[in-house]
Amino acid sequence: EMLRPEVAKIRDEGAQLADGGRLVRRLETRVGTLNYALQTSEDGRQVVALLYDPLIALDVNLQPIPAMVARWEMLDEGKTYLLHLDPRATFSDGKPVLASDVIFTITKMAGEESVQSAPWSSDLDRDATAVVSERTARIAFKEPRAGRIFSFTIAPMPAHVYGAGDFAKNQKVVGNGPYVLRRRNRDGSILIERRDDYWREQPHIES
């Protein structure tokens, strides 16, 4: 499960954050893939965390709070969750984040293609997991489990981008987070830039 920390706010009286600028960070290892479901290195996770937002985030006390999911319902004594997506949420290509993207992502997470399948592969009820409406997804499990809500700290992947062709070989990078990939260089360096159309609070750092 991946967590993207919320952007910290400086609340000191009179304090102002400068907008813009570039932050250069050294990567200890070469990032092999920016496919959200397939990345394995810590450096890869750090980059991907800026390109994607989770369905449900965690506050400073590690309690679940809305992110892509505006609200959720727990049914069947914890075996079923209804996730209601925020209608403002979009991917970096401008397409909306839909319930079908959530189902697509969870299906991939539960499949053999993903190295992050553990929270999903054991008891996901695939037959009952389905799209309810354009922005409501039903995720069902065979048995209830304490802390299940934390499984939804994953980010949705766009089905219209990753659903066609060979999933593992798809080199496109389309996320729903505050930054978008601009360039990957042969020397292993990666340039990401702030999204102008990001619907949540804009980060102050431009790239």
Side-chain angles (χ1 to χ4, degrees), residues 8-44:
K9 297 179 181 179
I10 294 180
R11 298 185 181 276
D12 294 336
E13 185 176 354
Q16 296 292 328
L17 285 175
D19 193 66
R22 174 175 294 183
L23 174 65
V24 179
R25 179 175 178 176
R26 181 173 179 267
L27 299 177
E28 297 296 332
T29 59
R30 191 180 187 93
V31 175
T33 179
L34 290 176
N35 182 311
Y36 179 84
L38 300 181
Q39 48 77 28
T40 57
S41 70
E42 182 57 33
D43 284 326

Side-chain angles (χ1 to χ4, degrees), residues 32-129:
T33 179
L34 290 176
N35 182 311
Y36 179 84
L38 300 181
Q39 48 77 28
T40 57
S41 70
E42 182 57 33
D43 284 326
R45 292 188 183 96
Q46 294 298 322
V47 175
V48 168
L50 297 172
L51 303 175
Y52 285 89
D53 273 347
L55 294 170
I56 293 174
L58 301 178
D59 65 13
V60 294
N61 297 312
L62 300 181
Q63 294 302 304
I65 56 174
M68 293 299 101
V69 172
R71 63 185 181 90
W72 58 88
E73 302 173 62
M74 186 176 68
L75 309 173
D76 302 331
E77 299 181 340
K79 290 196 296 184
T80 301
Y81 287 82
L82 289 182
L83 306 182
H84 302 278
L85 295 169
D86 195 306
R88 299 170 295 172
T90 61
F91 290 107
S92 58
D93 62 358
K95 299 291 181 63
V97 178
L98 302 176
S100 54
D101 299 309
V102 175
I103 300 301
F104 170 79
T105 302
I106 289 175
T107 300
K108 288 297 181 185
M109 290 291 186
E112 295 181 359
E113 293 138 318
S114 175
V115 297
Q116 306 177 70
S117 64
W120 302 103
S121 60
S122 59
D123 62 349
L124 179 70
D125 188 338
R126 293 172 180 263
D127 293 334
T129 296

